[in-house]
Amino acid sequence: MSLARVRLILWALVLIVGVAATVFTLYRQTLPDSERVRIGGDFEMVSTKGGTFTQADLKGEPTMMFFGYTFCPDVCPTTLYESNVWRQALDLSSEDIKTVFVSVDPERDTPEQLSAYLGSFGEDIIGLTGSQEQVNDIKAKYGIFSEKVTDEDSSDYLVNHTATLFLLDEDGQFAGTIAYGEGKESAVAKLKRLLKIEG
């Protein structure tokens, strides 16, 4: 199977997962608290800012959290770019909202690799990686799907992964999602609600 065909299949899967995540989020919000599926939870990862990063580090200000990998050809750089556009539209700094990028490819995404990659999108983006066990744990906490996709004509590989961006409140608790490809107006409106910005 050619790499071009693999990419087309991945794009289709990304769109399906994004729609499913949005539907799930809307459905979840209609349930009483006692019946809601928990998204998030305790974890420990290695941070590009040095040391470890845990659930406790999400507290203080709201967060945009996205799962991806540095060798991603399109979805990840697009999402990182768009998240900066949304922030700029509301004149937000890292003191207003954190941006956290969690690697689903710890085999290649060392802290150094992550730091160099994320530096192209802003010095304040926090990159998280770790052992495969640590990555599997945080993926399970957030319901993230990912799988390695190899090309028979290449030794390299892509990673098919959930492309939903998670919104967390100032206590580090799940507060909503922004789907991949969602319009700027809708995304900015969600950030305004998260940050309690009027107008």
Side-chain angles (χ1 to χ4, degrees):
M1 184 181 294
S2 69
L3 189 57
R5 186 171 181 185
V6 169
R7 285 184 176 174
L8 284 174
I9 293 172
L10 290 180
W11 269 105
L13 289 173
V14 162
L15 290 174
I16 291 169
V17 170
V19 170
T22 301
V23 171
F24 171 76
T25 300
L26 293 173
Y27 169 71
R28 179 182 177 276
Q29 291 173 346
T30 66
L31 296 174
D33 290 341
S34 60
E35 296 180 21
R36 290 187 184 181
V37 177
R38 179 171 176 78
I39 296 178
D42 294 336
F43 64 85
E44 182 175 300
M45 302 288 287
V46 177
S47 172
T48 54
K49 302 303 182 184
T52 59
F53 190 100
T54 69
Q55 173 69 22
D57 293 303
L58 291 173
K59 296 182 178 180
E61 58 272 338
T63 301
M64 290 188 289
M65 178 183 283
F66 178 72
F67 291 75
Y69 67 113
T70 64
F71 289 82
C72 182
D74 34 43
V75 174
C76 299
T78 297
T79 300
L80 287 166
Y81 170 77
E82 289 181 339
S83 68
N84 278 335
V85 170
W86 306 332
R87 285 176 47 180
Q88 291 169 8
L90 295 172
D91 195 25
L92 301 176
S93 71
S94 59
E95 295 180 356
D96 300 309
I97 189 166
K98 287 192 285 283
T99 304
V100 176
F101 182 90
V102 185
S103 173
V104 296
D105 184 20
E107 182 178 333
R108 295 181 293 187
D109 286 346
T110 64
E112 294 75 21
Q113 168 70 18
L114 259 181
S115 183
Y117 174 77
L118 295 175
S120 300
F121 300 94
E123 295 301 320
D124 56 353
I125 300 175
I126 301 167
L128 302 183
T129 188
S131 67
Q132 189 63 62
E133 291 74 18
Q134 287 174 307
V135 171
N136 289 343
D137 179 59
I138 193 170
K139 280 170 51 182
K141 297 286 174 60
Y142 283 87
I144 298 300
F145 167 81
S146 72
E147 67 175 358
K148 188 185 295 187
V149 180
T150 58
D151 182 356
E152 59 186 22
D153 299 324
S154 173
S155 59
D156 207 355
Y157 63 87
L158 299 173
V159 180
N160 180 24
H161 63 91
T162 304
T164 302
L165 184 145
F166 292 85
L167 300 176
L168 310 175
D169 66 19
E170 62 272 15
D171 295 319
Q173 300 301 309
F174 175 76
T177 62
I178 296 176
Y180 179 70
E182 188 164 336
K184 176 183 174 183
E185 185 176 341
S186 174
V188 169
K190 289 181 177 181
L191 289 177
K192 290 174 72 173
R193 287 195 296 272
L194 179 68
L195 294 161
K196 300 178 177 62
I197 297 174
E198 297 182 359

